[in-house]
Amino acid sequence: MTLSQKAFSLLQYPLPQHALSRLSGKFGQCDNPWVKSTLIKAFIKRFNVDMSQALEPDPSAYATFNDFFTRALKADARPLGEGILSPADGTLSQYGRLQAGQLVQAKGHTYSAQTLLGGDTALAEEFLGGSFATVYLSPRDYHRVHMPVTGTLREMIYVPGRLFSVNQATANYVPGLFARNERLVCIFDTEHGPMAMVLVGAMIVAAIETVWSGQVTPLAGQPQRMQFGQPITLEKGAEMGRFKLGSTVVMCFTKPVVFDDYPTGVMVSMGQALGHIDKPTHDSDAPPTSEPMV
């Protein structure tokens, strides 16, 4: 770790993280033509944003910066692969098995599934022996989050917390980063068993939305568990939420996932195949063997 990375991480502790993030939300929602156009043009230039795949490629057509940032893509921009899909465009920062209920954050850093999921012991136990994958969305990426498999929402849990940056420099230094930040935990029941989709807030992230409840964060105070009166089933590849500025998605599966041989830190696209659920061979699945006649 470089000295500048360490300094960047340390400087975030005393910052008024929530106030800065909410202020950015005010600017992002401003519909003054000069303000929003200046922000959008500067952002596209700074982060080299590719608008050719956007459903609306004209930057001036967006009413606010937030509308531009959460822009939709053309229907054929992200073909869906087989198996478990990447939920978003971004960097596949870590993936693998949960070891003793722990997820890998970065080299030398782990954190607990129980803390990530809001402190619920029984819920965390469902994921013991399962797998996880973490996708970091940089500012230039497409910022809608989609379903890696078809699932029916069981419950949604808002967990308050800090708003550290979630880039690699911070992940390398701040312990338990994804389990410290404000986050939205969405538990789905799937054909592969329960799945958790955790949308992690971050510095300057103005809000997190879901397609079934609209904007959820910012909230305050205590964790809040929310269930809905009718089944909410989302198909594989369907949009489930979005970030207003970049952040991270952590997926957890109760079943082991056989991931494709990706190096950590590789860029992935929404809909790209990441792997498949491991289906162990049982004795009952083996073909019958013939016994010698006596």
Side-chain angles (χ1 to χ4, degrees):
M1 177 180 300
T2 67
L3 183 61
S4 60
Q5 288 179 329
K6 184 176 182 179
F8 173 75
S9 300
L10 288 173
L11 285 171
Q12 294 179 56
Y13 279 87
L15 287 177
Q17 298 171 343
H18 286 270
L20 289 173
S21 298
R22 305 323 174 209
L23 180 62
S24 75
K26 296 290 186 183
F27 278 105
Q29 204 56 35
C30 177
D31 59 2
N32 177 280
W34 183 87
V35 172
K36 65 98 175 177
S37 295
T38 299
L39 287 174
I40 291 171
K41 289 177 181 178
F43 192 91
I44 290 174
K45 182 177 181 180
R46 168 67 179 82
F47 293 104
N48 193 27
V49 176
D50 179 11
M51 295 296 292
S52 66
Q53 294 183 327
L55 185 62
E56 175 49 78
D58 180 7
S60 65
Y62 294 93
T64 66
F65 178 84
N66 282 343
D67 288 344
F68 151 74
F69 194 81
T70 58
R71 61 194 175 276
L73 297 182
K74 295 175 181 176
D76 60 351
R78 296 291 183 274
L80 304 182
E82 299 293 329
I84 306 297
L85 305 183
S86 172
D89 286 6
T91 302
L92 184 61
S93 60
Q94 296 291 336
Y95 65 89
R97 294 289 296 274
L98 277 79
Q99 301 291 341
Q102 298 286 308
L103 296 80
V104 177
Q105 174 178 303
K107 186 176 181 180
H109 291 278
T110 62
Y111 62 103
S112 78
Q114 181 174 334
T115 306
L116 176 71
L117 300 176
D120 187 321
T121 303
L123 179 59
E125 286 177 348
E126 295 188 54
F127 293 89
L128 291 175
S131 296
F132 77 97
T134 303
V135 178
Y136 163 69
L137 291 73
S138 74
R140 74 182 302 273
D141 290 320
Y142 168 63
H143 277 80
R144 298 191 183 193
V145 181
H146 294 248
M147 294 291 288
V149 296
T150 298
T152 299
L153 184 70
R154 182 198 301 178
E155 67 175 332
M156 182 172 74
I157 309 165
Y158 166 76
V159 186
R162 298 294 301 273
L163 287 174
F164 289 98
S165 168
V166 290
N167 64 15
Q168 193 58 50
T170 311
N172 287 340
Y173 191 75
V174 175
L177 173 64
F178 304 130
R180 297 176 75 159
N181 273 13
E182 178 182 67
R183 56 202 178 277
L184 196 62
V185 180
C186 303
I187 306 298
F188 291 91
D189 291 313
T190 80
E191 63 175 315
H192 309 297
M195 172 186 72
M197 292 281 287
V198 184
L199 279 60
V200 183
M203 183 86 74
I204 314 301
V205 175
I208 299 172
E209 298 181 358
T210 67
V211 297
W212 58 84
S213 60
Q215 182 169 316
V216 180
T217 68
L219 295 175
Q222 301 300 313
Q224 299 182 35
R225 304 184 79 129
M226 292 162 262
Q227 295 180 332
F228 301 87
Q230 57 186 15
I232 299 170
T233 299
L234 300 177
E235 297 296 320
K236 179 178 176 178
E239 181 186 347
M240 60 82 61
R242 60 184 69 174
F243 290 109
K244 292 181 178 178
L245 287 183
S247 196
T248 290
V249 180
V250 182
M251 302 184 295
C252 296
F253 297 90
T254 56
K255 300 287 181 64
V257 175
V258 178
F259 288 100
D260 295 342
D261 190 19
Y262 290 113
T264 55
V266 70
M267 298 295 296
V268 293
S269 297
M270 189 286 288
Q272 182 175 335
L274 297 183
H276 61 274
I277 296 293
D278 189 16
K279 295 181 179 179
T281 301
H282 300 288
D283 291 340
S284 59
D285 298 330
T289 57
S290 57
E291 293 286 334
M293 295 182 67
V294 294

